[in-house]
């Protein structure tokens, strides 16, 4: 899989993309992630990529020309682009299902919005998919783009150590995860539930399933639908 992340702030995203599981997946060639500096596509002597909004109002708007030039040059260099994703708070909210879908494509372009937004012609004529990461406003789309990349790349086979791990995540079946414990079995008198130390795999599975349903009902009743069969 290849991901091109277009941003006017490359320095904001480089380090997180080089660390830990994402960095390892890149080095193992499971995913190629290119950070593309939008300013390189500006014709302005000061490499400006934004301008005032027509009609007035506070805040700067990303200009269309550098973005069109940038994405046209990405189209020209390499495999077919499956989706051009714009990160913006006024869009459908990203969730595990969107991550699953995006993890199966060959090439993604992510565009991080900034300032007051982006010239709407970019959204109308260039972007194929828009995503918000939640109902709050950040200073730009860089952190949301990193969130999307992290959620997508960890689903690529081989990216995380245990292939079964991604499938047992919270949300993969609309239930939150069960609590987990590690050693010591007794920490300051707080003991790990006995069943988890019993070696009885069937009992452990049942305990986890019950815990998942209880936690989902208590913490995220919006996710819980009693008609779903949660038995595996
Ligand atoms: N840009 C600013 N806020 C955002 C959000 N919540 N999701 C995606 N992009 C954004």
């Amino acid at each position: 899989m290849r991901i091109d992340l277009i941003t006017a702030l490359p320095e904001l995203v480089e380090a997180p993309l080089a660390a830990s599981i994402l960095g390892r997946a890149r080095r193992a060639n499971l995913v190629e992630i290119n950070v593309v500096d939008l300013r390189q596509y500006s014709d302005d002597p000061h490499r400006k990529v934004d301008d005032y909004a027509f009609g007035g109002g506070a805040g700067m708007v990303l200009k269309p020309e550098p973005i069109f030039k940038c994405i046209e040059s990405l189209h020209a260099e390499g495999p077919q682009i499956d989706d051009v994703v714009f990160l913006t708070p006024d869009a459908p909210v990203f969730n595990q299902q969107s991550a699953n879908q995006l993890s199966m494509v060959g090439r993604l372009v992510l565009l991080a919005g900034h300032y007051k937004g982006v010239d709407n012609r970019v959204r109308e004529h260039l972007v194929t998919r828009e995503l918000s990461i939640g109902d709050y406003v950040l200073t730009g789309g860089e952190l949301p783009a990193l969130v999307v990349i992290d959620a997508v790349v960890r689903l690529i086979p081989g990216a995380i150590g245990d292939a079964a791990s991604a499938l047992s995540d919270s949300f993969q079946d609309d239930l939150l995860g069960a609590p987990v414990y590690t050693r010591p079995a007794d920490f300051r008198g707080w003991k790990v539930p006995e069943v988890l130390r019993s070696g009885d795999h069937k009992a452990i599975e049942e305990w986890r399933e019950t815990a998942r349903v209880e936690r989902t009902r208590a913490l995220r009743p919006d996710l819980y639908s009693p008609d779903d069969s949660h038995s595996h």
Side-chain angles (χ1 to χ4, degrees), residues 87-89 113 131-141 144:
L87 287 309
T88 180
L131 292 173
S132 162
I133 62 159
D135 292 340
Y136 41 83
V137 179
L138 302 169
T139 55

Side-chain angles (χ1 to χ4, degrees), residues 16 23 25 30 33 43 51 69 78 95 104 117 128 151 163 171 175 196 203:
L30 296 174
I33 304 177
D43 290 329
D51 208 335
K69 237 172 104 176
N95 60 18
M104 288 184 281
T128 62
F171 304 112
L175 284 179
L196 296 178

Side-chain angles (χ1 to χ4, degrees), residues 8-199:
L9 293 169
E11 70 277 14
L12 189 55
V13 300
E14 291 285 9
L17 293 173
S20 189
I21 290 172
L22 294 182
R24 201 176 58 214
R26 290 170 83 185
R27 290 190 296 275
N29 291 321
L30 296 174
V31 61
E32 178 188 347
I33 304 177
N34 298 310
V35 177
V36 183
D37 182 359
L38 183 61
R39 291 181 198 283
Q40 302 275 310
Y41 295 87
S42 166
D43 290 329
D44 181 89
H46 300 106
R47 299 253 173 258
K48 245 173 69 92
V49 290
D50 59 345
D51 208 335
Y52 297 100
F54 274 118
M60 304 294 273
V61 176
L62 286 177
K63 291 161 66 60
E65 303 95 315
I67 298 174
F68 272 81
K69 237 172 104 176
C70 176
I71 292 180
E72 280 157 6
S73 104
L74 290 176
H75 270 294
E77 73 172 57
Q80 194 200 309
I81 295 169
D82 295 286
D83 258 317
V84 176
V85 182
F86 178 53
L87 287 309
T88 180
D90 54 338
V93 177
F94 181 67
N95 60 18
Q96 191 61 48
Q97 197 191 328
S98 347
N100 294 348
Q101 287 167 4
L102 293 178
S103 76
M104 288 184 281
V105 313
R107 186 175 178 199
L108 283 179
V109 171
L110 302 185
L111 173 64
H114 230 253
Y115 315 108
K116 192 64 191 172
V118 66
D119 185 286
N120 207 58
R121 287 163 291 190
V122 170
R123 299 178 70 166
E124 286 168 346
H125 303 294
L126 208 46
V127 165
T128 62
R129 184 164 182 164
E130 300 186 323
L131 292 173
S132 162
I133 62 159
D135 292 340
Y136 41 83
V137 179
L138 302 169
T139 55
E142 281 77 12
L143 300 179
L146 292 173
V147 166
V148 170
I149 291 173
D150 188 294
V152 166
V153 169
R154 65 186 290 286
L155 297 174
I156 297 174
I160 50 181
D162 177 3
S165 182
L167 292 174
S168 65
D169 290 336
S170 289
F171 304 112
Q172 281 297 9
D173 52 8
D174 276 351
L175 284 179
L176 303 184
V180 294
Y181 298 87
T182 185
R183 285 179 288 189
D186 182 336
F187 174 66
R188 299 187 175 177
W190 298 308
K191 295 186 180 58
V192 171
E194 202 57 54
V195 59
L196 296 178
R197 305 175 56 215
S198 66

